[in-house]
Amino acid sequence: MKFFIFLLNLIFLAVIETYAEDLNELLKIYKKESDLSRITKREAAGNLTLYTRDDLERMQAHMLIDVLRTVPGFHVYRGINGLTLMSPPTYGAIPPTTIRLYINDHDMTSSSFGSAMLIWGEMPIEYVDHIEVYKTSSSIDFGNESGVLVIRVYTKQALRDNGSKARVMADQKGSFELNLYNSEVFDNDFSYFVFANADDYKRERYYNEFEGKKYTFKNDRHGYNLYGNIQYKKSKFEIGKLYKKSDSFLGIGKYKTPTDGNLHAYHFYTHFTQEFENDIKLQLSYDAMNYERSYVDPNGISIADPSSQSGRRSVSNYDIEFKDEVYGAIIEKRVRYEKNSITLGAFYKYKKMEEEGRFDSVQTPQTGNGYDLYSIYAEEGYDFDEKTRFILMAKGDFYRYKKEVDSADELVARVGITKDIDRFRFKLFYTDTYLPNSFYSIFNPSRTPYVANPHLKHAQVKIGSFSAIYRQEKWDVKFFMSQHRVKDGVIYRGKFQNSDKTAKFYRYELSGHYYFDPFNTLFCSLFTGTNDKDLIRSPKYGASFRLDDTFGKVDLYNELRYTSSYTDSFYNMYVPYTLDWTLAAKYHVTKDFSAGVRGENLFDRSYYVVYRGYSKPIQSYDRKIWINLEYLF
């Protein structure tokens, strides 16, 4: 009898264990199926690359740039002063004003530079739920300033993340990152979410020799990020701030011989959203940004100087500061009928910029300007049938400056069609848009250290894109191609001016997924691009291979990225191929505690960049091993 009872206990425990494992798997599947990204993504807004919460957690990424460097069809790298830059195949860096970065519905804008991506490219992502990257977008879909690359970052919500979490990361170079968040949902439809981050990053050092002396290129940085939101029914208030201090890397000296220099920057914003019962949405926002850049190079930094006979002179100390304020309001109305939907909206922004600098002993006076941006937009989607949808969008932007700068009126239009045929989905779009000018390029009365142009026109961009995707139960294949035609592009030759040449570049992507099961996926992507000038400023070919696996309590992320070698057309320098391998493993010790490790650039062959004035390419990403600990409570 005792043996029989013992056997029954073993059977009972085995059944309970099996049930618990099955229940845990069902909960994981439910979590994937109810992912917030299924609600927010807009298939018609452009060629979408989506990173779900599951993707981000597997990657154990800690900065936005960790995610963006995996986007097919783009190269993401470190600029000469350490800032994050992006370029399509064979092309140089695209202007910051081209990129629109959103945190939820808030456009991370800047008066001076047009986009705050310069600061927020290294934002922490522990409080991020998912990320959407829209290529060949027009921004009309999101009712804000124009751009052709839209990055939407969605934060976690108290309704899905009720409780608290702590996460700490450290690497072998002495870097660390600490993240904390807390949220709570109350019975009266009131909720809050708060997040705090502090980080200190140590980077590989590089060296240059000039006239028998050795100079060091440093790019360490530290800072913090704060975010919070309060939500009550259909009202939401958000507040955030990011601060960073970083070294100036190579700097901008003629011989790349820096002895000091750094960036001090912060960006503070608030955003209020009110949704009404009749599908009207009101948004109010405020931004304040301070951007202070300094360089020290004893062998000379060339700057514009109107008092000099040549128009230029050399300095050793370079300090410049920009202060921005932005006030914004958006109102939007959506109307839905049986076969079509219409969105009508308008927004207003007032942008203010102040600038001052010191260059050796010369102090430039503080100057400021501002402008009003008025915009109205409309979008209609019409369903011919269940498988065919026609999309038409239009937006008018009206710039009115307070002084000196020419006013401008711009029209943005987009037309497209999506068609489902059996297991195929086709998308065809044409966009006529423009690239806003950064404020500093059109206003600088002192004409030091650069010469602005108050008569500068906006670059005009026409984009045609086509995509086709074929889906089966366990796999899919996608092809995407686009052509960009840029007229009146902005260049700097003694001053900011419009190019008299029209530029064209083309992009092609082929990608696919194979789903072994809901938790084990293989992703492959191939991409290339060309331009009509036969210039090579970045790799022409690229590929990525990614494998996501789950074995019991262990989640694995495995990605290999390749870009081709090339010879830079401007500097006639050979740049080797990239073979960048990232491997991450996370062990869920309990449902509340996990430990992980992430290896970056394990082959020590990450993306190489050519810099003017330096004799060899430098990698944008270091080889690092990160230890990651996470605790939910």
Side-chain angles (χ1 to χ4, degrees), residues 159-387:
L159 290 173
R160 294 169 178 264
D161 293 274
N162 197 13
S164 302
K165 182 179 180 180
R167 181 189 185 194
V168 62
M169 300 182 72
D171 72 9
Q172 85 279 12
K173 293 182 179 293
S175 308
F176 79 88
E177 181 176 332
L178 175 64
N179 299 277
L180 301 167
Y181 73 70
N182 173 260
S183 63
E184 189 169 353
V185 180
F186 299 92
D187 293 335
N188 61 350
D189 293 326
F190 175 85
S191 66
Y192 74 85
F193 180 96
V194 292
F195 167 81
N197 154 278
D199 54 44
D200 190 346
Y201 286 91
K202 308 298 183 184
R203 298 294 308 269
E204 190 79 21
R205 280 162 165 69
Y206 296 88
Y207 303 95
N208 189 20
E209 288 192 9
F210 180 75
E211 295 183 345
K213 293 184 178 180
K214 189 175 182 180
Y215 299 89
T216 304
F217 302 154
K218 298 187 297 181
N219 196 205
D220 297 342
R221 70 171 181 85
H222 66 267
Y224 62 85
N225 185 198
L226 304 173
Y227 172 80
N229 71 55
I230 298 172
Q231 194 160 354
Y232 177 70
K233 295 184 178 180
K234 293 190 176 184
S235 302
K236 185 176 183 180
F237 177 76
E238 300 173 81
I239 186 169
K241 181 181 179 180
L242 185 143
Y243 166 81
K244 65 184 288 186
K245 180 182 179 182
S246 63
D247 297 319
S248 61
F249 200 34
L250 277 73
I252 58 173
K254 290 182 288 186
Y255 304 104
K256 303 301 177 289
T257 53
T259 56
D260 200 358
N262 53 59
L263 167 68
H264 275 95
Y266 75 81
H267 186 175
F268 168 83
Y269 74 94
T270 62
H271 193 101
F272 174 75
T273 304
Q274 177 66 58
E275 296 184 25
F276 300 94
E277 296 295 334
N278 53 354
D279 282 331
I280 291 179
K281 184 176 180 179
L282 173 66
Q283 301 177 67
L284 303 173
S285 62
Y286 171 75
D287 294 76
M289 189 189 82
N290 193 87
Y291 184 97
E292 185 177 357
R293 171 68 76 177
S294 67
Y295 302 102
V296 180
D297 193 315
N299 294 297
I301 301 169
S302 179
I303 67 169
D305 181 5
S307 64
S308 171
Q309 186 175 1
S310 65
R312 301 195 67 80
R313 68 183 176 94
S314 181
V315 299
S316 297
N317 295 274
Y318 178 116
D319 295 278
I320 193 166
E321 182 178 11
F322 296 90
K323 295 180 181 179
D324 293 353
E325 283 190 288
V326 182
Y327 301 84
I330 303 174
I331 188 163
E332 193 173 83
K333 166 71 174 176
R334 296 183 184 272
V335 182
R336 296 174 177 84
Y337 300 101
E338 182 179 353
K339 284 198 168 187
N340 68 322
S341 60
I342 299 174
T343 301
L344 301 173
F347 75 83
Y348 165 78
K349 282 187 177 179
Y350 174 68
K351 288 191 165 188
K352 176 185 176 182
M353 179 192 81
E354 291 182 353
E355 175 189 350
E356 63 180 319
R358 187 176 184 86
F359 310 96
D360 283 347
S361 59
V362 177
Q363 176 81 40
T364 59
Q366 185 180 75
T367 58
N369 199 351
Y371 69 88
D372 301 293
L373 172 57
Y374 306 91
S375 182
I376 55 173
Y377 58 93
E379 173 188 344
E380 179 174 12
Y382 183 82
D383 297 315
F384 290 103
D385 52 50
E386 293 182 351
K387 298 184 177 182

Side-chain angles (χ1 to χ4, degrees), residues 101 134 138 165 245 258 296 389 449 475 488 494 505 565 605:
L101 172 65
Y134 296 91
S138 65
K165 182 179 180 180
K245 180 182 179 182
V296 180
R389 184 172 178 80
W475 58 274
D488 296 327
F505 62 93
S565 61
R605 290 195 67 90

Side-chain angles (χ1 to χ4, degrees), residues 550-564:
T550 297
F551 300 100
K553 293 185 175 183
V554 178
D555 291 332
L556 295 177
Y557 170 86
N558 204 335
E559 182 166 25
L560 182 66
R561 292 184 295 278
Y562 163 83
T563 60
S564 59

Side-chain angles (χ1 to χ4, degrees), residues 104 164 172 216 367 394 402 446 456 477 530-531 540 627:
N104 296 322
S164 302
Q172 85 279 12
T216 304
T367 58
K402 297 302 180 185
S446 70
L456 194 68
V477 176
T530 60
N531 64 78
K540 184 175 182 178
I627 302 299

